[in-house]
Amino acid sequence: DVKVTQSSRYLVKRTGEKVFLECVQDMDHENMFWYRQDPGLGLRLIYFSYDVKMKEKGDIPEGYSVSREKKERFSLILESASTNQTSMYLCASKETGLGSQPQHFGDGTRLSIL
Amino acid sequence: AQTVTQSQPEMSVQEAETVTLSCTYDTSESNYYLFWYKQPPSRQMILVIRQEAYKQQNATENRFSVNFQKAAKSFSLKISDSQLGDTAMYFCAFMKGANSKLTFGKGITLSVRP
């Protein structure tokens, strides 16, 4: 089974801090994704990556950046955290080129910015 | 851009009964994939069922089946013999061709009553 591991289930940070959310997958998937999930809004794509050092903006990239130095690891960075970034963050991975193959999700990180 | 609409925010069903969750989408693409994902309370998002747009036959996975109406751009999920463990948030999602980006609906909270 695919395992997608997010480093923290719960995280509390302060406004203005630089925050790192880490995600690791164990299936050698090329594609990795970061979403945020908010009540009534569903999942919205922040950034995704097709390969090491490759990244593309999703639908809501403002205030975020990402890093993919190794294939198995995809990091989401909040450069200067703000209270409107309090949310649930989900990481996912997927094999490339196989359209019907699903994305596999981590458990999520519930991030609170105070 | 693609959009996915789940118009019902909540539904409730009695255990052992059948329930249908609705989803519509908007796209100009001819080749795409549709998914239903399940997110149990405080647990990981998992795939329930998938449908390739080029296949006319509706997908089925045990108690879960879809009614895929391509012309109407409708993709509903039917859960038969509902079980308490089906209580979860359900998301409908769209993926364009071999592109791996998913567009999610806002989700529906399903409660199964004992």
Side-chain angles (χ1 to χ4, degrees):
Chain A
D1 279 355
V2 177
K3 183 73 172 174
V4 178
T5 303
Q6 295 184 230
S7 53
S8 306
R9 288 297 301 271
Y10 301 94
L11 204 55
V12 180
K13 296 291 183 180
R14 296 208 173 273
T15 303
E17 280 193 68
K18 190 169 186 176
V19 180
F20 293 86
L21 302 183
E22 306 287 348
C23 176
V24 176
Q25 50 95 3
D26 67 354
M27 285 301 291
D28 205 37
H29 286 168
E30 288 82 5
N31 299 321
M32 295 189 75
F33 308 83
W34 275 107
Y35 297 90
R36 66 176 280 175
Q37 180 179 3
D38 300 288
L41 297 178
L43 276 75
R44 294 177 292 167
L45 182 65
I46 304 172
Y47 266 97
F48 61 103
S49 170
Y50 287 126
D51 205 344
V52 176
K53 297 190 186 295
M54 304 289 287
K55 61 185 179 184
E56 287 196 29
K57 293 180 180 179
D59 300 318
I60 52 164
E62 296 78 18
Y64 303 95
S65 63
V66 290
S67 172
R68 187 138 182 232
E69 296 296 320
K70 293 185 178 181
K71 194 174 186 179
E72 67 270 20
R73 185 179 298 270
F74 191 36
S75 303
L76 180 69
I77 303 159
L78 286 66
E79 297 289 345
S80 177
S82 65
T83 54
N84 62 11
Q85 292 177 310
T86 290
S87 186
M88 169 71 88
Y89 290 87
L90 295 174
C91 175
S93 74
K94 178 188 179 298
E95 289 182 84
T96 194
L98 299 175
S100 66
Q101 290 301 310
Q103 291 187 13
H104 298 269
F105 286 83
D107 287 339
T109 296
R110 189 166 293 281
L111 175 65
S112 296
I113 307 296
L114 305 179
Chain B
Q2 284 67 231
T3 58
V4 178
T5 302
Q6 294 179 253
S7 56
Q8 309 151 301
E10 295 182 11
M11 285 190 78
S12 179
V13 64
Q14 194 75 33
E15 193 176 9
E17 292 187 348
T18 295
V19 63
T20 298
L21 311 183
S22 64
C23 173
T24 59
Y25 58 94
D26 188 22
T27 185
S28 58
E29 302 291 328
S30 58
N31 180 30
Y32 53 87
Y33 305 87
L34 295 163
F35 303 83
W36 277 99
Y37 278 88
K38 170 185 177 180
Q39 188 180 41
S42 301
R43 291 180 62 189
Q44 195 177 57
M45 180 100 70
I46 57 173
L47 178 72
V48 176
I49 199 164
R50 77 191 87 172
Q51 174 82 41
E52 293 89 347
Y54 63 84
K55 289 186 177 179
Q56 293 186 339
Q57 188 172 6
N58 289 325
T60 299
E61 290 284 345
N62 301 315
R63 297 183 295 108
F64 299 88
S65 62
V66 298
N67 183 5
F68 174 48
Q69 302 287 330
K70 191 171 184 178
K73 297 180 182 175
S74 170
F75 183 61
S76 60
L77 174 69
K78 186 171 84 171
I79 306 174
S80 303
D81 186 26
S82 297
Q83 300 176 359
L84 296 178
D86 295 333
T87 291
M89 192 150 210
Y90 288 81
F91 292 94
C92 179
F94 172 99
M95 183 164 65
K96 181 176 73 171
N99 186 316
S100 299
K101 290 168 56 177
L102 280 173
T103 300
F104 284 87
K106 294 183 179 181
I108 178 171
T109 301
L110 177 67
S111 300
V112 180
R113 305 186 305 273

